[in-house]
């Protein structure tokens, strides 16, 4: 069974204090690892897709990396508006088609 | 705005009732997915349709059913509702049914069962 574990569950940062969020996964034939941002009461907002170990993607203050067992979301010099829940998800191969298996998320709070 | 629309935004109903949630995918997307998000279970995959046909099933209860229509919009039907069905229900869409295709989520329907 596909599994995704995110850590920490919650992270509090001061504005400008860089950090990383972790996503560990167990999946049969990884077909993609996805990062989403979710604000309270809203739908997940797509951030990145990573397909193979060693791949990296960047967007503003966010950078996602992928190894064979885990992914990291690095946040550089965060601002209060980066506060949100960050979700990691995997897509497996075989007959799973497009199904995404999500982790429980990391709640990020950035204080000014 | 992802381009995926869902109605209604909020739904309050009683146990034992039946409701229908509606989703319109992004223009050009052929695949629709339904997810349930509750505080204790997180975001859980329910079911996927591609161009009108069911493609994958997750932890969807027998009391729940879905379909995708020729115009590609989808409906999720929830019947014999229980208190535990209270949750956020999200629809997502993608261009194709797997492969290198991102899923874009709608704003969700918040269902409250009293």
């Amino acid at each position: 069974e596909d599994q995704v574990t995110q850590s920490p569950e919650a992270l509090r940062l001061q504005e400008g204090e860089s950090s990383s969020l972790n996503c560990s996964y167990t999946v049969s034939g990884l077909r993609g690892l996805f990062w989403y941002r979710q604000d309270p009461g809203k739908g997940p907002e797509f951030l990145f897709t990573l397909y193979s170990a060693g791949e990296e993607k960047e967007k503003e203050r966010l950078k996602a990396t992928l190894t064979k067992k885990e992914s990291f979301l690095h946040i550089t010099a965060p601002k209060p508006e980066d506060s949100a829940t960050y979700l990691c998800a995997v897509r497996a191969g075989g007959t799973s088609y497009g199904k995404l298996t999500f982790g429980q998320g990391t709640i990020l709070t950035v204080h000014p | 705005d992802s381009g995926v629309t869902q109605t209604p935004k909020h739904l309050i109903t009683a146990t034992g009732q039946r409701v229908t949630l509606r989703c319109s995918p992004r223009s050009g997307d052929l695949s629709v997915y339904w997810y349930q998000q509750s505080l204790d279970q997180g975001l859980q995959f329910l079911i996927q349709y591609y161009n009108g046909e069911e493609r994958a099933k997750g932890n969807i209860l027998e009391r729940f059913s879905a379909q995708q229509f020729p115009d590609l919009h989808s409906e999720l039907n929830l019947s014999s509702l229980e208190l535990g069905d209270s949750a956020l229900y999200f629809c997502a869409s993608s261009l194709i049914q797997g492969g290198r295709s991102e899923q874009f989520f709608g704003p969700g329907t918040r269902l409250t069962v009293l």
Side-chain angles (χ1 to χ4, degrees), chain B residues 7 24 36 50 57 64 66 74 80 84-85 93:
Chain B
T7 57
S24 293
Q36 179 192 58
Y50 175 76
K57 240 177 179 177
F64 296 2
S74 177
S80 302
D85 298 327
S93 73

Side-chain angles (χ1 to χ4, degrees), chain A residues 66-83:
Chain A
L66 180 65
T67 73
K68 288 188 176 180
K69 294 183 180 178
E70 58 192 349
S71 176
F72 292 93
L73 185 65
H74 307 279
I75 303 177
T76 302
K79 298 182 177 182
E81 53 262 42
D82 294 323
S83 297

Side-chain angles (χ1 to χ4, degrees), chain B residues 24-106:
Chain B
S24 293
R26 293 188 316 158
S27 177
D29 284 357
L30 298 177
S31 200
V32 168
Y33 311 78
W34 287 97
Y35 292 84
Q36 179 192 58
Q37 187 175 41
S38 58
L39 281 175
D40 56 342
Q41 293 288 323
L43 203 55
Q44 299 279 318
F45 170 76
L46 295 178
I47 197 163
Q48 176 196 358
Y49 279 84
Y50 175 76
N51 206 18
E53 293 191 11
E54 182 184 304
R55 273 291 180 259
K57 240 177 179 177
N59 301 320
I60 188 167
L61 300 170
E62 284 192 15
R63 301 183 284 108
F64 296 2
S65 64
Q67 55 184 329
Q68 185 180 28
F69 295 86
D71 67 352
L72 301 178
H73 91 271
S74 177
E75 293 181 356
L76 179 66
N77 300 297
L78 315 177
S79 61
S80 302
L81 285 168
E82 302 174 359
L83 296 177
D85 298 327
S86 296
L88 271 167
Y89 291 84
F90 290 106
C91 168
S93 73
S94 67
L95 178 61
I96 56 178
Q97 59 181 329
R100 300 203 164 202
S101 179
E102 290 79 21
Q103 292 180 27
F104 294 89
F105 282 75

Side-chain angles (χ1 to χ4, degrees), chain A residues 31 34 36 38 40-46 48-49 51-52 55 57 87 91 95-104, chain B residues 33 35 37 39-45 48 55-56 58 88 90 97-108 110:
Chain A
R31 289 293 180 268
F34 302 80
Y36 286 86
Q38 186 175 27
K42 303 210 171 172
E45 174 191 343
F46 172 76
F48 303 108
T49 312
Y51 291 104
S52 55
E55 190 174 358
K57 287 197 177 167
L87 297 167
R91 177 191 289 148
T95 58
S96 297
Y97 292 100
K99 169 191 172 183
L100 294 182
T101 299
F102 281 86
Q104 290 293 99
Chain B
Y33 311 78
Y35 292 84
Q37 187 175 41
L39 281 175
D40 56 342
Q41 293 288 323
L43 203 55
Q44 299 279 318
F45 170 76
Q48 176 196 358
R55 273 291 180 259
L88 271 167
F90 290 106
Q97 59 181 329
R100 300 203 164 202
S101 179
E102 290 79 21
Q103 292 180 27
F104 294 89
F105 282 75
R110 181 176 293 278

